[in-house]
Amino acid sequence: MAVSCARYGLREMFLGGVRSLDELRSRLSIDGQEAEIDARDLVHKEINDLIREAALSGARRITLLNVCGQRYIGTRLFLPQQDGKIEIHIYSTPGNDLGAFLAGHRIVVHGNAQDGVGNTMDDGEIVVHGRAGDIVAMAMRGGRIFIRDSVGYRAAIHMKEYTGKVPVLVIGGTAQDFFGEYMAGGIVILLGLNLKPGERHHAHYIGTGMHGGVIYLRGEVAPYQLGKEVGVLELDDKDRRLLHRYVGEFARHFNLNAENILNDRFVKLMPVSKRPYGRIYAY
């Protein structure tokens, strides 16, 4: 009984009062491959139902207006067509877990984002023309995320590489504590474009528990800000090619000069062990 009550309680919390597509169609307008959705007062399932309806009707660029904190936008968009990838433009501020489990689509936020951007993202691209909250790219295993400004705590926590996919996170500003915590794979680039000359990055415990992947830092960071599980290395030619590619993409998204960014010194953080906590296990 307790399990049943808990199950129905969750259902009520997330899905209670959700309206049918027939009741919501006036919020959706489609013109060829472009669609527009008025998200005012809609709950997240209603928004995602309308996005899916627009995509199945042939729309490939979908604009969401009047978004105000709705969670999970872009989740549950598994479309049957191989060429069914869509581009979603969001105006105002989406809620937590934007693009969670994203499966190859593209999301552009014209404003700030909240916590959990790209949570467990599998493929695709998210571009945020503002800042983002905590745990950006948590457990992300593919695709690319570009954040113009800074991010909150525990960005890139437990990013991983999966069957040849290498996730990429590029942040224009700085990050808060536990940046790159428990990273198991992927590429993270922190540019510090909003720091003053000589100002250090804000995060402490950078790369704590990291056992895979790589972090590139532009700007100043002191040794005491780093986790004990990472080492600092100079760049080689492969690193420079990689930075040229992804910083170039970042600069194109936000109309910046990539060469000016790349002219400054970067350092590379790599894990010193593939299994930093192996000794605490009994096997």
Side-chain angles (χ1 to χ4, degrees):
M1 177 64 76
V3 172
S4 176
C5 289
R7 183 179 301 159
Y8 285 110
L10 285 172
R11 182 179 179 183
E12 180 65 22
M13 182 170 68
F14 286 102
L15 301 177
V18 171
R19 289 162 287 186
S20 68
L21 270 175
D22 287 340
E23 295 175 280
L24 298 171
R25 287 190 196 282
S26 63
R27 301 296 193 97
L28 169 64
S29 61
I30 301 177
D31 183 6
Q33 291 196 336
E34 298 202 6
E36 189 171 286
I37 295 170
D38 180 3
R40 188 186 304 276
D41 300 327
L42 299 183
V43 299
H44 72 271
K45 185 177 185 305
E46 294 171 334
I47 293 174
N48 282 331
D49 285 348
L50 288 171
I51 293 174
R52 182 175 175 81
E53 176 69 9
L56 293 175
S57 300
R60 290 295 172 267
R61 180 187 169 98
I62 300 170
T63 298
L64 305 184
L65 302 175
N66 301 314
V67 173
C68 186
Q70 291 97 334
R71 302 176 180 179
Y72 315 121
I73 293 176
T75 301
R76 198 170 55 83
L77 280 176
F78 296 97
L79 302 175
Q81 306 97 323
Q82 290 298 318
D83 60 345
K85 303 309 179 188
I86 60 174
E87 183 168 304
I88 302 169
H89 286 259
I90 299 173
Y91 289 85
S92 298
T93 305
N96 295 350
D97 292 314
L98 170 73
F101 307 105
L102 191 69
H105 306 293
R106 183 168 193 262
I107 298 176
V108 181
V109 180
H110 299 271
N112 297 327
Q114 296 186 347
D115 299 341
V117 173
N119 181 356
T120 324
M121 177 175 167
D122 182 64
D123 201 357
E125 183 175 87
I126 298 176
V127 180
V128 177
H129 289 258
R131 73 180 309 280
D134 299 341
I135 57 170
V136 172
M138 179 172 69
M140 179 185 179
R141 61 189 185 189
R144 299 184 299 275
I145 297 177
F146 298 92
I147 308 292
R148 188 192 66 188
D149 300 334
S150 294
V151 298
Y153 294 85
R154 289 192 157 90
I157 181 171
H158 218 304
M159 275 179 67
K160 60 194 73 174
E161 297 180 17
Y162 177 71
T163 62
K165 291 183 176 180
V166 180
V168 177
L169 169 64
V170 186
I171 299 162
T174 191
Q176 297 298 327
D177 294 352
F178 297 102
F179 181 63
E181 186 182 28
Y182 301 126
M183 269 184 67
I187 299 166
V188 176
I189 303 172
L190 187 64
L191 296 175
L193 298 176
N194 57 355
L195 297 176
K196 298 174 184 177
E199 181 182 3
R200 291 174 180 158
H201 281 284
H202 299 167
H204 294 74
Y205 314 108
I206 297 171
T208 297
M210 184 176 176
H211 52 283
V214 59
I215 297 174
Y216 296 98
L217 287 178
R218 174 185 172 274
E220 303 294 326
V221 64
Y224 70 83
Q225 293 177 261
L226 306 179
K228 294 180 179 178
E229 294 78 18
V230 296
V232 181
L233 302 171
E234 294 296 323
L235 305 188
D236 58 24
D237 289 342
K238 180 181 177 183
D239 297 317
R240 294 187 185 89
R241 288 195 297 273
L242 187 149
L243 284 172
H244 191 270
R245 173 182 175 183
Y246 291 117
V247 173
E249 287 189 36
F250 175 89
R252 286 192 291 277
H253 287 312
F254 304 116
N255 196 28
L256 299 172
N257 187 313
E259 294 305 320
N260 286 347
I261 299 171
L262 291 166
N263 282 340
D264 287 325
R265 180 174 178 263
F266 284 77
V267 295
K268 177 171 65 173
L269 305 183
M270 295 279 290
V272 296
S273 169
K274 295 292 185 184
R275 201 162 180 255
Y277 298 109
R279 292 183 180 177
I280 69 173
Y281 299 124
Y283 54 87

